[in-house]
Amino acid sequence: MSDAKQGGRTTPRDWDSHPPFIHPGYKSTVLRGPTKPLVPLPESLSERTGPVFGHDAVGPLDADLTRNAMKNGEPLGERIIVSGRVTDEAGRPVPNTLVEVWQANAAGRYVHVVDQHDAPLDPNFLGAGRCATDADGVYSFKTVKPGAYPWPNHRNAWRPNHIHLSLFGPSIQSRLVTQMYFPGDPLLPLDPIFLGTPEGARDRLIAEFSLDVTQPDYALGYVFDIVLRGPAATPMED
């Protein structure tokens, strides 16, 4: 998210935690990454105040991806629960933050017209949801574990299992987009998007299995905490 204001001063972002705009191993960044210095634009009232979301826009099933697209039953795949806490650089909770998630289904396919992977679509799985953090900065959603899928970055390239997360602050300019990976995934050392993140910050992108979050006879649980700024910041996507 944008730099934080504390005591009238701006807390700078620790850019060493984030991947570069251009990472040769991730080939599309070479084509779309900026090659000239960024031009800072002054803030106006419209950027600081909107657009915003209303809490009434988050429905009761938005955070349950196993039910928000049901037609003839639940989606196929391993049910999981992902929970975490959103904090600032001082460890303070960040409440009322909109967390949006999107992912491939258990077979590794997105519900998107440009996804031409020949894995099957699941009629009971949309692969998208959202929730808001509570007063303690905690968020939680239910879903199925996404499958790996091939992509044309290089020969025999496969993306690891992952979930995309987007966090919105008080305005449209306060946004963080990142990816959550799963522990023990053998594709992580081969994935140029994951490897584009500086080595010392990569572990912040991997969720931890949690027996406390796991629900008996229902779903395994994972914890993915998100730090918005500072030396322990969660890395953003390229």
Side-chain angles (χ1 to χ4, degrees):
M1 295 199 177
S2 60
D3 293 340
K5 298 270 185 160
Q6 288 188 340
R9 297 176 299 173
T10 299
T11 302
R13 183 182 292 283
D14 179 17
W15 289 108
D16 292 338
S17 298
H18 302 291
F21 291 120
I22 298 176
H23 179 61
Y26 183 7
K27 292 184 178 179
S28 63
T29 65
V30 178
L31 300 175
R32 69 189 187 195
T35 57
K36 297 182 179 180
L38 301 181
V39 178
L41 299 176
E43 289 183 338
S44 67
L45 184 62
S46 62
E47 282 85 30
R48 292 194 297 268
T49 60
V52 297
F53 74 99
H55 287 76
D56 57 347
V58 180
L61 291 181
D62 284 358
D64 189 347
L65 280 68
T66 69
R67 299 176 60 204
N68 66 9
M70 284 179 56
K71 293 183 179 179
N72 300 307
E74 291 192 30
L76 298 174
E78 176 189 342
R79 287 188 297 236
I80 62 172
I81 301 168
V82 177
S83 183
R85 193 164 178 256
V86 180
T87 61
D88 65 13
E89 66 268 49
R92 295 170 298 203
V94 182
N96 305 316
T97 294
L98 179 66
V99 181
E100 297 180 330
V101 298
W102 65 96
Q103 63 169 89
N105 64 20
R109 186 170 178 182
Y110 290 93
V111 182
H112 197 286
V113 65
V114 300
D115 190 342
Q116 299 301 309
H117 182 27
D118 62 358
L121 287 171
D122 189 332
N124 296 308
F125 190 71
L126 178 63
R130 58 185 180 174
C131 59
T133 58
D134 64 16
D136 295 319
V138 175
Y139 74 93
S140 180
F141 61 90
K142 299 175 181 177
T143 185
V144 297
K145 188 174 182 179
Y149 57 83
W151 65 308
N153 187 75
H154 55 276
R155 182 181 178 276
N156 204 14
W158 288 79
R159 294 264 20 242
N161 312 95
H162 65 279
I163 297 175
H164 300 268
L165 297 97
S166 168
L167 282 74
F168 281 101
S171 69
I172 191 68
Q173 68 177 358
S174 299
R175 189 186 185 200
L176 181 147
V177 180
T178 189
Q179 296 185 25
M180 185 201 92
Y181 299 95
F182 292 84
D185 193 323
L187 291 173
L188 288 177
L190 306 174
D191 182 58
I193 297 181
F194 177 73
L195 297 178
T197 298
E199 184 175 2
R202 290 173 193 161
D203 286 348
R204 304 175 203 168
L205 297 174
I206 303 174
E208 294 184 359
F209 168 73
S210 171
L211 195 60
D212 291 334
V213 177
T214 296
Q215 290 188 10
D217 303 320
Y218 178 73
L220 295 181
Y222 294 89
V223 170
F224 186 65
D225 292 329
I226 299 172
V227 181
L228 298 183
R229 292 172 295 273
T234 301
M236 293 185 292
E237 284 188 355
D238 284 321

